[in-house]
Amino acid sequence: MEEQTRSIIQQSLDALMDNKLFLPDLKEDMRVKAFKSLNAILSTPNQIHKSFLRLPLENGEVVRIPSYRVHHNDALGPYKGGIRFHESVNEEEVTNLAFLMTLKNALHNVPFGGGKGGIVVDPKSFSDKELHRICVKYVRYFNHVIGPDKDIPAPDVGSGEREMDWMMAEYKKINHGKPYLGSFTGKSVANGGSLGRREATGKGVYFTFRYLMHDYLNANANNLSVSTNPFAKTALSYANRPLTVAVQGFGNVGSVTALEAFNCDYIKNKVVAVSDRNATLYNAEGLDIPALVAFTASNRGDLPSTEEQLTSAGIKATIQPREDILTMDIDVLFLAALENQLHDGNKADIKAGIIVEGANAPTTEEADAYLSQKGVVILPDILANAGGVIVSYLEWLQGRETQFFSDEEVHNQLIAKMKHTMDTILPQYFGDPFPLRQNCFIHSVMRLSTVLYRQGKLY
Ligand code: NAD
């Protein structure tokens, strides 16, 4: 697991160790040993499964594709986490992402543990038939470790409802006669998926930002305006004024986040920049997000990256290198692409005062410490991007009962859960001088530690 993750676990446990009101039964020598055990358990995955999928290509060649399923911890329920299709997937990355799932579910009180999967492929370089074979093989190779009560995969970068439908169909075939609707989430609605799942992560990401900057700040303005907390000062300096917004990544999460910002009536924000794997698009007057969403829908998910494409789609923007979006002079930066985007090399050039992590782990430890020290408000991944797993839980529940919720019911449950977590965490954040990430991690580790202790796992 990454060093950054280990050090955050250690910091959270150190803070809890000194809090004698937490697990008060554990005293002196016993307390020291129990916290050592917690560190060992949380910083190690339960299992790492690895296979080389044998894939016959359409040209007759056979290739072997490395693929993973990592089970981090299941103290709170069955393992849960997406399957990433990307050429840079590796064991350390998947393990780290599985750990973040454990923490995310604990933070939002979702009754799942943490898992993650990965397949080392660039999906754009395979035909649909080959991708179908990859999905089928993944289920065959990992069938013994997945299932509705064991481990429930979902989409991640490079995968979506099509892949989940294919995978569920294979699971159903292999496990004939057994319940199968809860084996995968993020499926199409036609195939037992939940209304609102596709949009859930992006909606939750934008809601986290809107709830803080509009609802929470306005409701608590009197207290916060006299506070000396550096993050309260920053947040208030951006409240109730027009804001410029940039969104890195324009896939499932980024495109919905950008659309939510474009349509928001609560905050006057203008999306001036978006980006993807090819380019950044910029327009100081604001980009036409619905037109960009329509363009990507008919161009295998890619934004326009040439003047001809912009002209034919009727979109006004300048095309800039893809990394430019990170250091633009804007107020709010949504990160919805990959990890390690804000790092030692660009941290000093970042101008946004508010950063929202739609992606998992997009900020390195160095950049996080530097920006937090400057008072930048960072809404961390495990808080902001949990909409997907929250609605995945609803999908799993609907699949078990074969009773389906309306769009409105799903939306209301998603918002209620995220609001509840924010209301628990934000008073602490604006009270202590700790970054929000640390507050969230402490909260998650506290819940996990209590459950592990009560389950007798610390002896
Ligand atoms: P996606 O594959 O739908 O989209 C990824 C986007 O990032 C694409 O627009 C791609 O072009 C762009 N991109 C790739 N490399 C880039 C680069 N180097 N610079 C800029 N853009 C780049 O993936 P997604 O589902 O939207 O996931 C995005 C992030 O959100 C990931 O970190 C994922 O783990 C996280 N996440 C996703 C979900 C979900 O429900 N899909 C839930 C929680 C977290």
Side-chain angles (χ1 to χ4, degrees):
M1 227 143 77
E2 282 191 4
E3 214 36 59
Q4 177 176 11
T5 305
R6 288 183 202 282
S7 85
I8 301 177
I9 298 173
Q10 187 63 63
Q11 283 167 25
S12 305
L13 288 171
D14 288 347
L16 290 172
M17 169 93 179
D18 295 340
N19 175 358
K20 300 288 185 265
L21 296 175
F22 178 66
L23 296 180
D25 301 356
L26 290 171
K27 294 196 169 58
E28 295 165 13
D29 197 31
M30 204 176 145
R31 190 169 182 85
V32 174
K33 282 185 187 147
F35 274 79
K36 259 186 157 175
S37 312
L38 280 168
N39 195 7
I41 293 169
L42 294 176
S43 57
T44 330
N46 286 353
Q47 294 101 24
I48 296 177
H49 305 280
K50 178 173 184 180
S51 278
F52 292 87
L53 310 182
R54 192 184 70 83
L55 178 74
L57 297 175
E58 291 202 72
N59 67 9
E61 195 188 328
V62 171
V63 291
R64 290 283 228 166
I65 299 180
S67 52
Y68 302 90
R69 191 72 200 162
V70 175
H71 290 166
H72 177 262
N73 190 283
D74 64 347
L76 298 179
Y79 301 105
K80 181 93 191 81
I83 304 175
R84 179 168 292 195
F85 287 50
H86 197 274
E87 61 275 22
S88 69
V89 161
N90 60 71
E91 186 174 308
E92 187 178 357
E93 178 188 82
V94 184
T95 306
N96 201 45
L97 291 169
F99 168 70
L100 288 177
M101 285 305 297
T102 303
L103 290 182
K104 196 184 299 179
N105 290 330
L107 177 65
H108 293 273
N109 212 3
V110 176
F112 286 139
K116 199 80 184 184
I119 307 182
V120 188
V121 285
D122 170 9
K124 293 201 193 303
S125 64
F126 290 90
S127 69
D128 286 355
K129 204 167 170 186
E130 288 164 343
L131 282 173
H132 176 258
R133 276 191 199 148
I134 292 171
C135 290
V136 165
K137 285 288 175 83
Y138 187 88
V139 178
R140 283 190 200 158
Y141 281 58
F142 293 107
N143 177 58
H144 60 297
V145 296
I146 59 175
D149 294 309
K150 284 193 245 173
D151 175 11
I152 308 129
D156 192 70
V157 174
S159 57
E161 60 184 34
R162 181 181 69 162
E163 289 72 22
M164 296 306 111
D165 283 358
W166 287 340
M167 288 188 173
M168 191 205 73
E170 186 61 17
Y171 182 86
K172 177 173 181 281
K173 189 170 136 194
I174 301 174
N175 300 281
H176 184 70
K178 291 194 186 152
Y180 60 87
L181 277 177
S183 57
F184 287 82
T185 61
K187 307 181 293 292
S188 68
V189 172
N191 201 30
S194 176
L195 290 167
R197 170 62 183 87
R198 195 188 63 75
E199 301 85 3
T201 306
K203 281 196 172 180
V205 168
Y206 190 77
F207 173 77
T208 308
F209 162 73
R210 191 209 90 189
Y211 187 72
L212 168 65
M213 294 308 294
H214 180 265
D215 310 47
Y216 191 85
L217 286 188
N218 286 335
N220 295 280
N222 288 346
N223 290 342
L224 293 177
S225 58
V226 292
S227 163
T228 54
N229 181 297
F231 304 113
K233 282 187 194 298
T234 304
L236 284 174
S237 72
Y238 286 90
N240 300 316
R241 68 169 173 88
L243 299 174
T244 51
V245 166
V247 183
Q248 188 204 30
F250 207 74
N252 177 291
V253 180
S255 66
V256 175
T257 303
L259 206 52
E260 288 287 297
F262 182 87
N263 290 323
C264 183
D265 295 328
Y266 295 87
I267 297 177
K268 278 195 194 129
N269 53 194
K270 195 159 58 176
V271 185
V272 296
V274 298
S275 74
D276 71 358
R277 66 198 179 102
N278 300 315
T280 293
L281 300 179
Y282 177 76
N283 182 342
E285 303 307 315
L287 290 161
D288 183 347
I289 302 298
L292 288 169
V293 170
F295 182 91
T296 54
S298 50
N299 284 277
R300 286 198 97 184
D302 286 336
L303 287 166
S305 56
T306 63
E307 293 299 340
E308 297 76 56
Q309 286 178 329
L310 281 176
T311 311
S312 73
I315 293 162
K316 290 199 179 78
T318 54
I319 300 171
Q320 298 182 208
R322 74 172 186 200
E323 312 300 340
D324 279 15
I325 195 158
L326 300 172
T327 52
M328 281 179 166
D329 194 3
I330 36 107
D331 299 314
V332 187
L333 177 60
F334 286 91
L335 298 167
L338 296 170
E339 39 275 62
N340 302 333
Q341 297 303 298
L342 307 186
H343 47 73
D344 217 17
N346 63 13
K347 65 184 186 193
D349 300 322
I350 289 148
K351 298 176 190 73
I354 299 175
I355 294 171
V356 190
E357 297 184 342
N360 287 310
T363 312
T364 66
E365 193 175 9
E366 297 80 24
D368 196 33
Y370 175 87
L371 293 166
S372 299
Q373 217 265 330
K374 274 178 62 183
V376 173
V377 170
I378 304 179
L379 298 175
D381 44 13
I382 63 166
L383 178 68
N385 73 21
V389 74
I390 290 170
V391 176
S392 274
Y393 168 62
L394 299 178
E395 180 177 340
W396 178 79
L397 213 56
Q398 294 170 85
R400 281 177 102 79
E401 298 179 359
T402 51
Q403 297 274 345
F404 292 87
F405 300 134
S406 69
D407 226 338
E408 196 186 348
E409 285 168 327
V410 170
H411 178 81
N412 290 345
Q413 292 191 63
L414 165 67
I415 296 305
K417 197 123 185 106
M418 297 206 71
K419 182 176 172 310
H420 180 77
T421 306
M422 298 276 282
D423 285 337
T424 311
I425 294 290
L426 290 178
Q428 235 169 285
Y429 175 49
F430 289 124
D432 303 330
F434 294 133
L436 192 49
R437 189 183 318 278
Q438 203 168 331
N439 271 296
C440 291
F441 270 57
I442 290 176
H443 193 84
S444 302
V445 169
M446 204 146 96
R447 180 164 281 151
L448 284 160
S449 304
T450 306
V451 169
L452 286 165
Y453 174 56
R454 301 248 167 256
Q455 290 182 2
K457 298 274 171 64
L458 304 186
Y459 299 104

